[in-house]
Amino acid sequence: MLSNKRPDNMERITTQALADAFIEEQVKEVRAQVGDKKVLLALSGGVDSSVVAALLIKAIGKQLVCVHVNHGLMRKGESEQVIEVFRNQLDANLIYIDATDRFLDKLAGVAEPEKKRKIIGGEFIEVFNEEARKLENIEFLAQGTIYPDILESDGVKAHHNVGGLPEDMHFELVEPVRLLYKDEVRVVGKALGLPASMVDRQPFPGPGLGVRCLGAITRDRLHALREADAILREEFDNCGLATKVWQYFIAVPDMKSVGVKDNKRYEGWPAIIRAVNTTDAMTATIEEIPYTVLHKITDRITHEVEGINRVLFDLTPKPIGTIEWE
Ligand code: XMP
């Protein structure tokens, strides 16, 4: 049984040299644990699962089977980046499933946030299980469990994820970054050669854009949200805010207001900018965004995104506003 307790004398991984030493040690440990068997990994493209994937590719190459489920609620370019980095650059054994229609069909007409979350979580497990069943000789399941998951939830994340698998599928867990803190996972990811845009990614909720396309999700509003969010990210990258702000995104409510475009009445949705700083997500403050940047973003979103006719900036700290709108 591998230990789930971080040794008191374990040095914080802050440098490439320390990361390299960690990687070397984990490569040996994973090879010893797995032998010549196959390992399955749900690769979301988030920091933790991406770093685990890169580490396991180094350790066991094609014995790792990565499954990337695109639930249709990813940000612009995210699934494409997973395919580019893992299939094209790292030559991973990657199964890509575009399950957009399944998710969006199930979510159609559902406005209640917790119900939306349940549908997204449940459908994810279903799609992943269907794929797992098609594969043969898999004995291990890799997970991006990190040390705060173990500390905060007493290993609940691990049980959660495995708990979603059918009872007749028995996997032994492979969790190579389970003793690391998030900042260490990022250092290890960089040492493994993953792009900064993947390793330094801001937190992104599991239900993805599903909880930012407020109320009942429609494809046209989801598309507008994704495009507006991409513009926000691009402009934050351009002016250096991307590395200063902890989490920033767009939410699009299910309401329209009147506007004018090309001398005609133009009804559209508002795009709401949220940009917050926090250390633990329990409380959050509002980043002061220069007006020039806000004007530029407003100009681009209202001109480039079909269906959006206003841009609003959410000034509400947490508490009282949660970071997400639903
Ligand atoms: P709130 O909205 O509660 O968000 O202030 C705090 C942090 O949690 C993220 N968040 C989620 N993450 N599944 C997730 O994986 C969820 O359902 C979920 N809801 C909120 C949110 O993005 C923020 O970082």
Side-chain angles (χ1 to χ4, degrees):
M1 185 71 188
L2 296 165
S3 171
N4 267 350
K5 165 115 180 54
R6 185 176 169 113
D8 292 337
N9 60 356
M10 185 169 157
E11 196 174 351
R12 193 90 170 195
I13 300 170
T14 51
T15 63
Q16 165 100 31
L18 289 168
D20 287 341
F22 172 83
I23 292 164
E24 198 179 317
E25 177 196 296
Q26 281 307 314
V27 164
K28 276 193 207 136
E29 198 169 290
V30 168
R31 283 183 186 152
Q33 185 189 2
V34 169
D36 60 359
K37 301 293 190 313
K38 283 193 194 159
V39 181
L40 182 63
L41 170 74
L43 176 58
S44 67
V47 181
D48 305 333
S49 67
S50 296
V51 172
V52 167
L55 190 54
L56 294 186
I57 290 165
K58 194 172 174 80
I60 56 170
K62 294 268 162 92
Q63 283 166 252
L64 175 72
V65 182
C66 302
V67 176
H68 176 68
V69 177
N70 178 357
H71 50 22
L73 304 164
M74 309 288 282
R75 287 175 298 189
K76 189 172 182 178
E78 276 184 324
S79 286
E80 291 81 355
Q81 186 184 40
V82 168
I83 294 171
E84 170 57 28
V85 169
F86 289 98
R87 186 180 283 165
N88 301 349
Q89 293 175 21
L90 297 177
D91 195 27
N93 209 341
L94 171 70
I95 299 172
Y96 170 70
I97 303 160
D98 184 353
T100 302
D101 288 338
R102 277 179 69 157
F103 279 84
L104 295 189
D105 288 350
K106 277 230 155 133
L107 286 164
V110 181
E112 213 262 299
E114 287 318 307
K115 212 165 159 195
K116 286 165 69 178
R117 279 189 169 78
K118 272 215 176 88
I119 291 173
I120 296 165
E123 193 62 16
F124 185 88
I125 288 168
E126 197 128 305
V127 174
F128 186 72
N129 289 349
E130 281 172 23
E131 275 324 295
R133 280 190 190 288
K134 289 185 204 157
L135 300 165
E136 283 176 358
N137 302 322
I138 304 265
E139 293 189 17
F140 294 86
L141 182 75
Q143 295 198 135
T145 311
I146 65 172
Y147 205 45
D149 299 326
I150 292 174
L151 290 181
E152 284 162 22
S153 53
D154 204 15
V156 170
K157 176 174 173 182
H159 296 293
H160 256 325
N161 294 355
V162 186
L165 290 166
E167 298 206 330
D168 60 322
M169 285 198 251
H170 299 289
F171 294 116
E172 190 181 313
L173 292 182
V174 179
E175 299 177 303
V177 298
R178 71 192 175 285
L179 300 183
L180 302 192
Y181 290 100
K182 194 83 174 188
D183 53 297
E184 297 178 288
V185 177
R186 294 190 207 273
V187 177
V188 169
K190 280 186 192 137
L192 284 162
L194 289 176
S197 57
M198 193 168 244
V199 172
D200 292 329
R201 241 176 63 145
Q202 54 169 321
F204 186 56
L209 298 181
V211 291
R212 296 176 182 171
C213 190
L214 308 178
I217 298 167
T218 56
R219 288 175 195 245
D220 52 356
R221 195 156 50 88
L222 179 62
H223 179 74
L225 162 62
R226 182 176 286 120
E227 294 298 319
D229 184 72
I231 290 172
L232 177 77
R233 286 194 286 147
E234 207 178 298
E235 291 303 325
F236 268 37
D237 271 335
N238 289 344
C239 67
L241 279 167
T243 49
K244 255 186 89 191
V245 181
W246 195 81
Q247 198 171 17
Y248 50 96
F249 56 86
I250 298 278
V252 178
D254 186 11
M255 64 153 294
K256 284 189 171 177
S257 70
V258 68
V260 213
K261 194 176 185 180
D262 303 328
N263 293 321
K264 277 196 263 358
R265 185 182 167 95
Y266 185 78
E267 289 199 344
W269 304 290
I272 302 163
I273 301 173
R274 189 105 174 104
V276 301
N277 276 320
T278 176
T279 44
D280 56 8
M282 304 288 285
T283 62
T285 55
I286 300 306
E287 177 68 26
E288 293 204 3
I289 313 295
Y291 263 93
T292 46
V293 176
L294 289 173
H295 282 305
K296 174 107 192 271
I297 292 167
T298 303
D299 190 57
R300 282 198 59 196
I301 290 178
T302 51
H303 283 92
E304 295 174 33
V305 183
E306 181 65 36
I308 304 275
N309 69 351
R310 283 172 203 263
V311 175
L312 315 182
F313 184 58
D314 183 353
L315 280 166
T316 323
K318 176 180 180 179
I320 184 170
T322 46
I323 294 176
E324 301 293 343
W325 267 58
E326 65 174 33

